[in-house]
Amino acid sequence: MVKSIWIRMVSLLCILGIGLSFCACSGTRRSASMSLSAFGTILYFTLYGPDSQTIEKLGQDLRKECERLETVFSFELDDSDLSRLNLSEGPVKVPSEIIDVLKIALDVGQKSGGALDVTIGSLIKLWHIETNPGVVPDEKDIQTALAHHGMDRIVIDEAQRTVSRTDPDMLIHLGAVAKGYLGYRLRQIVLDHGCSGVLNLGGNLQLCGSKDGADAKWRVGIADPFSPEDVFAELTVGDAAVVTSGAYARFFELNGVRYHHILDPKTGYPSESDIASATVLGPDGAVCDALSTACFILGKDEAINLIAAYPAYSYLLILQDGSVEATDGMEVFIHE
Amino acid sequence: MSDRKKLFIMLIPIALILIASVLWIILSHNGSPKSGYRVACIYQNGALTEEIRMDSLDQAIEKTIICDQGFNRVRIDKTSVSVFESDCPGKDCTAMGTVESEYRPISCLPHRLVVVIELRDSDPGLDGVAG
Ligand SMILES: [Zn+2]
């Protein structure tokens, strides 16, 4: 993943133009790579399709969808739908995407006993997670922020398509779910074009269709949390999302202490558990995203219990001692 | 000649053909090694602006990439890429250090720059890395 959350989104309405670099055909399918910047991270896509025109058109459509969803979910852009909600009093009409994501977040939030909590926007702001370098906030400020969080402060009216915040000091931050949701939406666009591909959304992987347009699976690696440049394990996966949460991708160091970006809503500080990285695989990238964050915060035993409530999803936990816990029957190859 | 001898003699060409086919399969497999190569790709504003074949580099090259917001200095050698200097705020790009993997693009968000190693004409091994 790492759900490196929308780092420095401020600077970015800069969804970049797309560039496609076409390369050799594999069989009769063409492939192309493309990079763009959105959601405060770099998105890097490898696309496979029948011809270059189709892939080029697909690239344009993917870019448009990224731009559109950024104006929905951005915590920093003043005029995003989420910011409108965070500034509002009373019920606010929101796009259906916000309701979709909130419902997933609230479900995982509730089943994880609050380990995942999208109402910690004030806390995230305090820690300057979006900006570099970070600061360690005052204990008093952390406690104040913690006094204004809790998912019972969000009221969704699906019929009216409105959301209200019952606490004006509570801010919603969807960074732990929205990137996974983006992958899930982009996947449908890839398939609608008769293409397939690997979407790398700042470390979240969304695999779309099959590499050869038939039934070939994808080979994906899981970064080594102790040496992120290396691959720790390999998996063979079909059309699915693979999201890893770890403490190694976004952090800052101060007086010899390392502060990473995944905050524990119970303590207000970067989470500490026996998990070095939590990977979740499954059909919906938003659910994978939410679950991987919650698992990372919860620690091994509770993480395994949590995933058991989501039968379509599987996990691979790399523990702090280097050992691995994975869903029974998962075909995983661990690098020596 | 006994019937057994006749049978044996008839089997020889069949055995030879079998051995030859096995050898042919093995040799043709080894005879066409994966001819892939790695390129360092530089994307600016999302567009691929430069592509440098890495195996043809006898020594490291350094490039200064200038954009409206400032500059980045990129080093590329046979095996790795790095952004070693930048005037961007935050300096996330230089903090990423030297990257040898195809799975870790180096990005400078303020300067809208991505430097990434890509594989060409080759089975890429892994299709992606999560994390
Ligand atoms: Zn930079």
Side-chain angles (χ1 to χ4, degrees):
Chain A
M1 133 120 164
V2 174
K3 344 204 56 203
S4 52
I5 316 199
W6 325 43
I7 347 132
R8 284 194 279 140
M9 177 109 63
V10 203
S11 55
L12 318 168
L13 195 45
C14 73
I15 297 210
L16 308 179
I18 48 166
L20 284 171
S21 69
F22 285 92
C23 36
C25 321
S26 63
T28 53
R29 282 173 86 74
R30 299 268 304 168
S31 76
S33 9
M34 149 183 185
S35 96
L36 60 129
S37 159
F39 284 58
T41 189
I42 294 294
L43 314 179
Y44 186 74
F45 305 157
T46 308
L47 306 170
Y48 299 85
D51 53 72
S52 15
Q53 291 89 332
T54 307
I55 298 180
E56 213 157 303
K57 175 75 177 63
L58 168 61
Q60 290 162 4
D61 290 353
L62 292 176
R63 180 179 60 106
K64 276 187 217 148
E65 184 68 352
C66 291
E67 278 172 346
R68 188 182 72 79
L69 287 178
E70 181 152 48
T71 64
V72 173
F73 291 121
S74 172
F75 185 74
E76 282 71 27
L77 297 176
D78 290 338
D79 53 354
S80 74
D81 292 291
L82 181 65
S83 296
R84 260 194 321 108
L85 174 60
N86 277 334
L87 292 168
S88 69
E89 285 173 24
V92 178
K93 203 138 198 127
V94 293
S96 59
E97 288 89 349
I98 288 203
I99 295 190
D100 289 348
V101 167
L102 276 177
K103 280 167 63 184
I104 291 169
L106 296 182
D107 182 56
V108 175
Q110 188 235 325
K111 291 193 172 105
S112 66
L116 179 86
D117 192 328
V118 291
T119 66
I120 58 167
S122 310
L123 193 64
I124 290 175
K125 237 178 156 174
L126 207 55
W127 276 92
H128 290 226
I129 300 293
E130 314 285 346
T131 50
N132 226 350
V135 289
V136 179
D138 279 350
E139 176 64 29
K140 192 166 54 74
D141 294 337
I142 289 178
Q143 293 312 322
T144 308
L146 282 181
H148 296 283
H149 87 285
M151 288 168 296
D152 54 346
R153 290 168 162 83
I154 298 178
V155 179
I156 301 175
D157 183 338
E158 274 198 76
Q160 296 297 320
R161 240 180 64 188
T162 62
V163 176
S164 13
R165 298 176 309 126
T166 58
D167 176 348
D169 292 322
M170 179 277 285
L171 297 179
I172 301 171
H173 190 293
L174 296 173
V177 198
K179 213 143 42 93
Y181 182 79
L182 171 70
Y184 185 68
R185 294 295 292 250
L186 297 181
R187 167 187 170 275
Q188 195 53 54
I189 296 173
V190 173
L191 299 183
D192 288 347
H193 282 72
C195 295
S196 58
V198 179
L199 313 179
N200 186 333
L201 308 122
N204 280 21
L205 293 184
Q206 175 68 56
L207 308 158
C208 313
S210 72
K211 190 170 177 175
D212 60 356
D215 52 9
K217 292 195 167 183
W218 306 96
R219 270 180 67 202
V220 304
I222 306 299
D224 184 341
F226 310 107
S227 169
E229 182 68 6
D230 299 321
V231 172
F232 187 96
E234 275 181 48
L235 309 168
T236 307
V237 201
D239 187 340
V242 183
V243 180
T244 302
S245 286
Y248 50 86
R250 286 273 144 207
F251 60 85
F252 65 89
E253 276 170 337
L254 208 65
N255 303 326
V257 182
R258 181 184 277 216
Y259 298 90
H260 66 78
H261 70 284
I262 303 177
L263 300 177
D264 185 338
K266 294 219 161 57
T267 63
Y269 284 84
S271 80
E272 284 178 34
S273 77
D274 54 355
I275 294 180
S277 85
T279 298
V280 177
L281 282 77
D284 186 329
V287 176
C288 292
D289 211 355
L291 284 175
S292 71
T293 303
C295 287
F296 180 80
I297 293 171
L298 285 172
K300 183 188 83 173
D301 295 336
E302 286 184 74
I304 292 173
N305 286 338
L306 171 64
I307 305 260
Y310 294 85
Y313 293 80
S314 37
Y315 62 85
L316 184 134
L317 310 175
I318 301 173
L319 305 184
Q320 296 286 7
D321 64 5
S323 63
V324 171
E325 291 280 339
T327 301
D328 285 345
M330 181 189 279
E331 282 179 47
V332 48
F333 170 71
I334 309 287
H335 284 209
E336 287 305 318
Chain B
M1 211 186 308
S2 74
D3 283 353
R4 273 184 73 172
K5 257 190 177 165
K6 273 186 197 163
L7 184 69
F8 183 71
I9 290 169
M10 276 165 62
L11 279 174
I12 290 175
I14 298 173
L16 281 176
I17 289 169
L18 271 174
I19 292 167
S21 355
V22 169
L23 278 176
W24 183 78
I25 289 168
I26 293 171
L27 288 175
S28 62
H29 224 74
N30 290 343
S32 57
K34 297 204 168 81
S35 56
Y37 57 94
R38 307 203 314 158
V39 288
C41 294
I42 298 172
Y43 290 86
Q44 287 180 271
N45 285 323
L48 182 70
T49 52
E50 199 160 358
E51 188 174 308
I52 295 142
R53 188 164 169 159
M54 295 168 74
D55 62 358
S56 61
L57 293 175
D58 288 329
Q59 53 188 15
I61 54 168
E62 293 182 358
K63 291 185 160 286
T64 301
I65 294 156
I66 295 170
C67 64
D68 294 345
Q69 295 79 18
F71 74 91
N72 298 77
R73 299 195 65 203
V74 177
R75 183 180 289 124
I76 301 161
D77 63 25
K78 254 186 166 37
T79 58
S80 67
V81 296
S82 61
V83 175
F84 64 97
E85 195 184 343
S86 170
D87 61 352
C88 65
K91 307 266 190 294
D92 283 351
C93 50
T94 55
M96 283 197 70
T98 301
V99 168
E100 295 189 357
S101 154
E102 302 94 53
Y103 310 113
R104 297 229 157 242
I106 300 178
S107 57
C108 181
L109 285 173
H111 292 176
R112 304 172 187 192
L113 173 80
V114 178
V115 182
V116 59
I117 300 175
E118 292 180 3
L119 283 162
R120 294 283 184 268
D121 289 342
S122 156
D123 174 353
L126 292 178
D127 294 302
V129 172

